[in-house]
């Protein structure tokens, strides 16, 4: 499969997944770009996302990273889920910050994969680093969808 077809497939997976991704949509997470083995998602930190210390709740940061991870892993149009994830928090996010999570596939071999995600704020400061292990299942993400042109 050539690069143009692989790119079309990655974009088709995002179009198939996002309408069903209630969590991402509810939290205002936007998947801005998907390529084979890559995804970028953004989100603005809103008032319900900060904790009692007036900083971004760690679980919300994890959710943004996990969302970018999911779109990256599924960009090959094979249903893929997380098997393990970890996150290291480097700096706090604050109300009003615009966060970006960039996911890059490190390795994909057989049914296993490893993807790294970096979460930054609007100034490029790294807030968190996430590593996810993935496992492919059976089926296509775009099952029942129109094939990409």
């Amino acid at each position: 499969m050539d690069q143009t077809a692989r790119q079309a497939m990655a974009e088709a997976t995002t179009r198939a997944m996002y309408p069903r991704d209630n969590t991402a949509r509810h939290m205002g997470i936007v998947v801005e770009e998907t390529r084979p083995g890559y995804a970028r998602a953004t989100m603005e930190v809103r008032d319900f996302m900060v904790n009692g210390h007036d900083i971004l709740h760690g679980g919300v940061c994890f959710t943004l990273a996990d969302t970018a991870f999911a779109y990256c892993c599924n960009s090959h149009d094979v249903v893929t889920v997380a098997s393990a994830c970890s996150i290291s928090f480097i700096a706090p996010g604050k109300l009003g910050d615009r966060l970006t999570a960039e996911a890059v596939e490190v390795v994909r071999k057989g049914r296993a994969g490893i993807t790294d995600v970096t979460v930054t704020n609007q100034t490029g400061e790294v807030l968190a680093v996430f590593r996810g292990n993935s496992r492919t299942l059976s089926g296509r993400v775009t099952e029942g969808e129109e094939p990409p042109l």
Side-chain angles (χ1 to χ4, degrees):
M1 180 180 301
D2 70 10
Q3 184 60 29
T4 302
R6 290 177 63 230
Q7 178 61 34
M9 181 184 304
E11 292 171 5
T13 63
T14 298
R15 285 192 307 275
M17 286 175 60
Y18 195 76
R20 301 185 302 240
D21 194 342
N22 294 325
T23 300
R25 289 185 299 106
H26 175 76
M27 293 184 65
I29 297 172
V30 176
V31 180
E32 291 189 340
E33 183 179 359
T34 310
R35 300 190 307 253
Y38 174 88
R40 183 179 67 242
T42 60
M43 175 187 81
E44 182 178 328
V45 178
R46 296 183 285 173
D47 62 351
F48 72 89
M49 298 174 174
V50 296
N51 62 23
H53 299 294
D54 206 28
I55 60 174
L56 177 66
H57 191 288
V60 174
C61 186
F62 186 97
T63 300
L64 174 63
D66 188 44
T67 299
F69 166 66
Y71 285 84
C72 179
C73 294
N74 283 278
S75 65
H76 304 288
D77 198 20
V78 178
V79 174
T80 305
V81 297
S83 61
C85 303
S86 65
I87 192 165
S88 297
F89 299 109
I90 311 301
K94 298 198 172 39
L95 183 64
D97 279 353
R98 179 170 167 76
L99 306 183
T100 300
E102 284 192 283
V104 178
E105 191 173 72
V106 176
V107 66
R108 185 170 68 112
K109 183 155 179 74
R111 294 180 54 207
I114 298 173
T115 299
D116 286 341
V117 183
T118 304
V119 178
T120 58
N121 66 13
Q122 65 279 359
T123 65
E125 179 182 18
V126 175
L127 303 185
V129 177
F130 170 109
R131 174 161 273 191
N133 296 27
S134 61
R135 187 79 169 168
T136 59
L137 305 177
S138 61
R140 292 178 37 233
V141 176
T142 61
E143 195 69 41
E145 304 286 327
E146 288 290 321
L149 300 176

